Amino acid sequence: MAHVFVAPHPDDVALSCGGLIAGLREIGQNVTILTVFSGSTSGGLTTYQREALGFGTKAIWPVTEAFNRSHISPDYPPHPDPGSTLPPWSATAGQLEATQADADAAAKRFWQRSSWYRRAEIHNVPLGGQPLIDEEPNQGAVMTDERMDAAAAGEVMASRRLEDERYALFAEASIVFLDLPDAVFRGYEGDAELLGNPREDDPAPVDVLRQEIARLEPQKVYVPLGVGGHVDHQLTRAAGLALLGEDPRWIMPGPDYAGVVTFYEDFPYAWWSAFARLEDLPPHALADLPRGVSLWPEYANISDQVELKVTGVRLYASQLDRLFGGVRPMADAVRKQGRRVAELGGLAGGCAERYWTSVRV
């Protein structure tokens, strides 16, 4: 299965879903992180903008070379001289052909019920006129020299995006950045506005999310429930509700999103507010939930993955002091919230994350 986790900002998915992601990867599931509001505007930041983004009054200077892979050459030349001897781990042309045949056969089985077919290509070449993901500047954990230099120069959103890429690398997930500007760059000033209702001239990014989710063709899509009321979280939740309201279509790609869209509880907001049930949300939060669709709780047992979740959250160094007051308080909060949610689900003694799955009734 393919799972897409939609994050309003860098760090939201690691904070809220890091345990489930670790568990999915352990059983071989495909995970993509789709970060929505990871962009900025040109020019300097105000004091409030810098503090709201988690950087206080000075920039975080990342360790640039430790994660920069753009200068690393392949372990072995892809096209050795005819007379050279291949290392024992290298596949021969015949082996690659056999693998390609197996991949194509698997693809045909996968698409046998569809009206169209996509060939599986194991080589790093464009297929069907589509660009390579590696060549798309806003997709994949590429950590380019340009991004590294921008972060080293104190560009705040570049630093946050690098943290997101490092987490994707750690979690063995793919990552896509939509690079829409963060709320602090869209005119929201002060905590009252940032945690209030979205402005009428600031619509939810429904179209761009629908297009990207359809391209990724997931069987599960996870969006924030909006606990805590941050405007970017509310707008991302609104996009998820809009998908549920769409009529199913019988042409690809046009799924019925009921059963596909799942809402996750925003951490640490859910921890701070002791969120326990949907009724704890503001009355308007789920007003756009379509008739005939209900949300039901499901608990992911992350007892074996909670320490991986802690390690993943530590990669977002710029946010730890602002959100938790340091690494140790963060680790304590993650574990305590995991135990609290487990108790809510009757899983006493373990750790869990809770998800609200859409169901057509």
Side-chain angles (χ1 to χ4, degrees), residues 340-357:
R340 175 181 170 274
V341 172
E343 290 177 0
L344 290 174
L347 305 172
C351 289
E353 293 169 347
R354 184 168 55 178
Y355 297 84
W356 295 86
T357 301

Side-chain angles (χ1 to χ4, degrees), residues 91-102:
T92 65
Q95 291 170 327
L96 289 174
E97 270 185 40
T99 301
Q100 181 66 68
D102 288 343

Side-chain angles (χ1 to χ4, degrees), residues 4 6 213 221-225 236-237 240-241 261-265:
V4 171
V6 182
I213 289 171
V221 177
Y222 305 81
V223 296
L225 195 56
T236 310
R237 176 188 64 206
L241 292 171
V261 172
T262 296
F263 296 85
Y264 60 81
E265 298 181 359

Side-chain angles (χ1 to χ4, degrees), residues 4-18 20-21 33-36 221-228 232-233 236-237 261-270 275 278 281 295-296 298 309 337 353-358:
V4 171
F5 290 81
V6 182
H9 311 108
D11 78 7
D12 284 322
V13 159
L15 286 164
S16 304
C17 312
L20 176 59
I21 289 175
I33 299 168
L34 184 57
T35 303
V36 182
V221 177
Y222 305 81
V223 296
L225 195 56
V227 180
D232 287 342
H233 290 236
T236 310
R237 176 188 64 206
V261 172
T262 296
F263 296 85
Y264 60 81
E265 298 181 359
D266 317 59
F267 180 78
Y269 297 103
F275 180 81
L278 291 180
L281 292 171
L295 300 182
W296 293 86
E298 292 185 352
K309 180 175 182 176
Q337 175 69 354
E353 293 169 347
R354 184 168 55 178
Y355 297 84
W356 295 86
T357 301
S358 58

Side-chain angles (χ1 to χ4, degrees), residues 135-190:
E135 296 174 355
E136 292 293 296
N138 66 329
Q139 300 184 25
V142 291
M143 302 184 193
T144 61
D145 289 331
E146 180 183 3
R147 186 71 58 179
M148 301 295 290
D149 292 342
E155 210 285 314
V156 169
M157 295 310 292
S159 298
R160 293 202 65 183
R161 173 166 163 165
L162 281 181
E163 290 174 341
D164 223 17
E165 293 186 358
R166 290 165 186 164
Y167 174 76
L169 184 63
F170 164 78
E172 298 179 334
S174 58
I175 190 164
V176 175
F177 296 95
L178 297 185
D179 280 344
L180 300 181
D182 188 286
V184 299
F185 300 114
R186 303 197 311 275
Y188 291 90
E189 183 73 25

Side-chain angles (χ1 to χ4, degrees), residues 104-114 217 219:
D104 284 337
K108 288 178 180 178
R109 289 193 299 271
F110 181 82
W111 296 109
Q112 63 183 343
R113 296 184 181 179
S114 302
E217 299 175 358
Q219 284 75 50

